[in-house]
Amino acid sequence: MSEPVSVVIVDDHTIFRSGLKADLDERVRVVGEAGTVEEAVAVIEQVEPQVVLLDVHLPGGLGGGGREVLTRSTALLPRVRFLALSVSDAAEDVVSVIRAGARGYVTKTASGPEITEAVLRVAEGDAVFSPRLAGFVLDAFGTAAVSDVADDELDRLSARELEVMRLIARGYSYKEVAKELFISVKTVETHVSAVLRKLQLTNRHELSRWAADRRIW
Amino acid sequence: MSIAHARPPLVRSEDRLVAGVCSGLARHLGLRTDVVRWAMVFATLLGGAGIVFYGWLWIMVPTAAEAARRGARRPASSIAPAVSEPAGQARTTAPPAFPGAPERPLRLGGHGREILLGTVLLLGALAVGTGLLGLTVPLGVVVPVAAILGGAALAWLQLDESRRTQLVRGAGAGRWVGWLRLGAGLALVVAGVTLAISGSQWNVLGLALLASLAVLAGVALVLLPWGLKFWRDFGAERAARVREAERAEIAAHLHDSVLQTLALIQRRAGSEADVTRLARAQERELREWLYRDERRSGGAFADRLKALAAEVEDAHGHAVDVVCVGDASLLEGQREQRERIEALLQAAREAMLNAVRHAGGPVSVYAEASRDAIDVFVKDRGPGFELDAVPEDRLGVRESIVGRMRRHGGEATIVSGPDGTEVRLRLAGIGTEES
């Protein structure tokens, strides 16, 4: 990993953009910035970064914010990865960008090194779950342990996935999760990616109902 | 029947033959009830003045119970609810030509039947009296007048009823009854007027009735768009007012909290700890305000836990992130259960306090309430400590966390290592609500 990861920062607050740029370390190179939905779509298409740091709330477009940027950049999705970044803790904000294709979610209060770490992880193709996002997932899928769940079953989390989610919600890093469960970090990443996929693909009606019902967590 | 010495307010009495008008009047005037009654009958024989007066008092004077209720709630309205006499009259004298007059909705409180009986008796007496005096009132006059009075009464009754339901906020359910009543009243009035004009020629009635209905329908059709527009404008205006009120509330909130905090931050710019604490507290408050869920009932476990975390955060200026899954109610269930949950909350608070005091970096709190247990995890990234190395006199961990949980039938585990410390609390055997 000698080459720094190319990143586009999409956020409507210039102060926040410049602050974030200063916080990210040398493993990341900022190649573009955007402040509205239209700018973002154009810049992303033009520079094709490895990772887009995407604010959930953005002016412009049809008012869809970060989600709209994602849906309008679907063609680039496999190559360009999106990491949602928001001050909002609202379930509908978080879950909607994830379902639109973002590979992870971090809050804006996260420190520079944390965000850098998350960017690198997303660039590798892994998912980034904050404790809060893990909490959403547990809330949405239910915490009851289910024994044998087939991998392609989208409505449920396997017992292992549940355990991983729970540890992440408790504030464990991937490394700590791996240590706690006596598995490798790579396996943890696999589990998290599987959960992300389920979150994106399931059309379990409880999920949408849950997202509509709850606005806090 | 008693003679009053002071002058009581004029209300219809419960001690009554027809509607309590006479005895109420007697009590008000300080006369004997039977004197008033006979005077009323006598006045009735004089060209019907008595009955008109009686009817007027019946309409305008509230019953004692109503008066008391109004006095308690709001200033008296001059239109008393019981506008029932003409309606009764219409029923008793109306020929079978008006079978559609709705008899059911006329139930007034519990006294409908008595009022009806009274009206029938009164009218019977009236007929006999006029017969004796040699006056014959032609049916052609009585029927239209009765119909008009009855119809008007039905419509009025509707008005009053709707006001009453508005008062009780009884929505929707009885609305069709209201419409039925209005329609029947309208039909009665139209039929009565038609009859009166056509000179009681029954054969013309059907045709004329049809014509009037057509006219009414035409008027309704013409007025409908106007009425709808009026209604929509009214709705839009109301919505705008609500929005304006919301905006004002937001502005007030921003002013009260956010601007004040920003001012405070500028003044304390020198102290980093203070600035962080202020910013964090304001952030939490704003978040709570923006994303709060009105439907959530108070006293829930998750809310309490968050409030405790906020308290700890404020006291120490150290971020405590809370993630909750599921929720448990603190309001339902047995007292013992609530006490156990309360103990769990206090233990969690102690753990959070420990974490912010002794560890650097973020403190993560995760709570999971499932069907049969509540788990709380408090994790920090401090240097860690050995439970056995904690001196006996330090009550914090040993007593307020481990001991408290044990006393309430829960468990507390403390796992400490170089990466930080995690306090795990578990309370089993709790019936919780589904998330």
Side-chain angles (χ1 to χ4, degrees):
Chain A
M1 250 218 342
S2 47
E3 190 83 353
V5 173
S6 57
V7 169
V8 165
I9 300 178
V10 181
D11 194 299
D12 52 330
H13 295 103
T14 23
I15 300 177
F16 182 79
R17 284 209 304 262
S18 52
L20 182 61
K21 224 157 71 175
D23 273 356
L24 296 171
D25 56 39
E26 68 286 347
R27 288 174 291 172
V28 170
R29 185 164 50 93
V30 177
V31 294
E33 287 179 41
T36 64
V37 172
E38 284 85 4
E39 274 175 44
V41 174
V43 169
I44 293 164
E45 203 183 320
Q46 194 197 329
V47 302
E48 273 205 32
Q50 286 170 277
V51 176
V52 177
L53 274 169
L54 183 65
D55 188 9
V56 174
H57 294 282
L58 274 182
L62 301 171
R67 203 186 51 222
E68 198 180 331
V69 177
L70 271 160
T71 47
R72 282 166 68 170
S73 312
T74 330
L76 304 166
L77 218 48
R79 277 163 292 150
V80 179
R81 283 159 180 142
F82 288 82
L83 176 61
L85 192 64
S86 174
V87 284
S88 167
D89 280 344
E92 66 243 21
D93 289 341
V94 181
V95 173
S96 71
V97 281
I98 294 289
R99 279 176 73 87
R103 298 288 300 167
Y105 175 89
V106 279
T107 50
K108 282 186 177 176
T109 45
S111 67
E114 277 171 345
I115 295 180
T116 309
E117 207 55 52
V119 167
L120 296 178
R121 182 155 278 138
V122 168
E124 295 276 291
D126 293 320
V128 171
F129 272 38
S130 67
R132 202 163 292 274
L133 180 53
F136 288 149
V137 170
L138 286 169
D139 226 356
F141 282 87
T143 49
V146 195
S147 49
D148 44 81
V149 175
D151 262 359
D152 52 350
E153 196 178 330
L154 294 172
D155 282 4
R156 294 264 177 88
L157 300 184
S158 71
R160 247 301 137 79
E161 285 162 358
L162 262 178
E163 277 179 321
V164 170
M165 278 300 117
R166 219 175 245 145
L167 286 171
I168 291 174
R170 274 157 67 176
Y172 281 56
S173 67
Y174 284 17
K175 215 195 286 171
E176 286 168 325
V177 173
K179 201 172 137 203
E180 181 79 17
L181 298 179
F182 304 108
I183 53 180
S184 71
V185 174
K186 203 68 227 163
T187 316
V188 174
E189 283 167 353
T190 313
H191 284 310
V192 175
S193 294
V195 173
L196 182 82
R197 196 172 55 93
K198 287 183 180 178
L199 190 60
Q200 285 171 344
L201 295 181
T202 184
N203 45 15
R204 185 183 149 100
H205 69 280
E206 280 95 336
L207 187 68
S208 39
R209 202 187 54 197
W210 165 86
D213 274 1
R214 298 188 166 242
R215 281 148 184 270
I216 20 178
W217 301 343
Chain B
M1 299 257 173
S2 63
I3 301 167
H5 297 291
R7 179 152 295 187
L10 181 58
V11 291
R12 299 212 314 273
S13 168
E14 287 299 315
D15 167 31
R16 61 197 191 170
L17 289 179
V18 179
V21 169
C22 288
S23 55
L25 195 61
R27 197 165 294 177
H28 180 65
L29 296 176
L31 297 168
R32 281 173 51 136
T33 309
D34 43 2
V35 169
V36 176
R37 278 186 185 139
W38 281 116
M40 197 68 87
V41 170
F42 183 69
T44 302
L45 295 180
L46 293 176
I51 192 110
V52 172
F53 182 57
Y54 191 95
W56 183 70
L57 281 182
W58 192 347
I59 293 172
M60 300 309 260
V61 177
T63 63
E66 279 166 352
R69 223 179 304 141
R70 287 231 189 103
R73 228 180 269 169
R74 55 170 204 177
S77 133
S78 58
I79 303 175
V83 203
S84 54
E85 187 196 30
Q89 213 173 14
R91 291 190 48 190
T92 44
T93 50
F98 312 106
E103 316 201 352
R104 301 263 150 197
L106 272 179
R107 220 175 287 136
L108 278 180
H111 305 303
R113 256 177 235 149
E114 292 154 48
I115 291 174
L116 260 182
L117 187 70
T119 317
V120 171
L121 285 176
L122 200 68
L123 285 172
L126 187 66
V128 170
T130 48
L132 281 178
L133 287 175
L135 294 167
T136 39
V137 186
L139 201 66
V141 173
V142 171
V143 171
V145 167
I148 292 171
L149 282 178
L154 271 173
W156 280 18
L157 211 62
Q158 148 78 15
L159 173 84
D160 196 71
E161 191 84 350
S162 68
R163 250 207 286 136
R164 224 179 300 162
T165 42
Q166 233 176 12
L167 208 71
V168 192
R169 287 188 191 280
R175 197 172 290 171
W176 67 273
V177 178
W179 283 110
L180 192 72
R181 216 175 278 176
L182 191 67
L186 209 61
L188 269 178
V189 172
V190 168
V193 171
T194 314
L195 256 182
I197 290 172
S198 67
S200 303
Q201 285 172 303
W202 297 96
N203 48 354
V204 189
L205 182 64
L207 204 64
L209 210 56
L210 212 64
S212 346
L213 281 180
V215 167
L216 276 180
V219 168
L221 205 65
V222 169
L223 288 184
L224 200 64
W226 179 80
L228 276 179
K229 184 182 170 300
F230 177 77
W231 181 250
R232 283 215 198 97
D233 286 353
F234 176 66
E237 193 197 303
R238 200 167 45 178
R241 253 204 319 266
V242 168
R243 266 199 305 277
E244 183 53 37
E246 247 167 32
R247 207 197 63 79
E249 196 201 339
I250 291 171
H253 178 84
L254 290 181
H255 177 262
D256 283 354
S257 61
V258 180
L259 285 184
Q260 305 278 7
T261 307
L262 285 175
L264 216 55
I265 284 178
Q266 284 170 35
R267 215 180 307 156
R268 299 267 184 84
S271 159
E272 196 183 335
D274 277 354
V275 169
T276 315
R277 185 181 312 184
L278 281 168
R280 177 80 188 167
Q282 183 56 61
E283 179 198 340
R284 197 182 50 237
E285 195 202 301
L286 196 58
R287 226 175 252 294
E288 169 67 26
W289 193 72
L290 287 174
Y291 305 127
R292 94 190 130 178
D293 194 340
E294 306 277 357
R295 284 160 297 182
R296 200 171 255 292
S297 57
F301 171 77
D303 288 344
R304 279 295 311 277
L305 188 66
K306 282 180 190 165
L308 287 175
E311 214 176 88
V312 171
E313 223 177 66
D314 282 346
H316 294 266
H318 199 112
V320 179
D321 288 314
V322 183
V323 174
C324 290
V325 171
D327 204 350
S329 172
L330 289 176
L331 299 174
E332 292 153 26
Q334 316 225 313
R335 217 183 113 217
E336 192 202 345
Q337 290 279 19
R338 277 178 303 179
E339 270 173 13
R340 292 182 69 202
I341 297 178
E342 192 58 40
L344 174 67
L345 282 167
Q346 290 308 321
R349 176 173 174 273
E350 206 58 43
M352 289 188 263
L353 274 175
N354 251 336
V356 296
R357 266 191 220 129
H358 304 300
V363 175
S364 306
V365 178
Y366 171 67
E368 183 181 314
S370 62
R371 240 177 226 297
D372 43 29
I374 303 178
D375 290 280
V376 177
F377 302 89
V378 179
K379 184 173 170 59
D380 65 55
R381 303 199 165 270
F385 64 94
E386 284 286 320
L387 183 55
D388 293 332
V390 176
E392 279 295 332
D393 58 330
R394 287 281 308 284
L395 281 178
V397 172
R398 208 183 294 277
E399 197 36 47
S400 20
I401 301 177
V402 182
R404 180 179 274 142
M405 288 307 288
R406 212 171 279 153
R407 273 200 302 282
H408 288 88
E411 301 160 39
T413 323
I414 297 168
V415 182
S416 195
D419 293 333
T421 306
E422 187 176 50
V423 178
R424 303 170 183 170
L425 308 172
R426 182 181 177 82
L427 197 61
I430 296 280
T432 65
E433 67 186 34
E434 270 291 273
S435 61

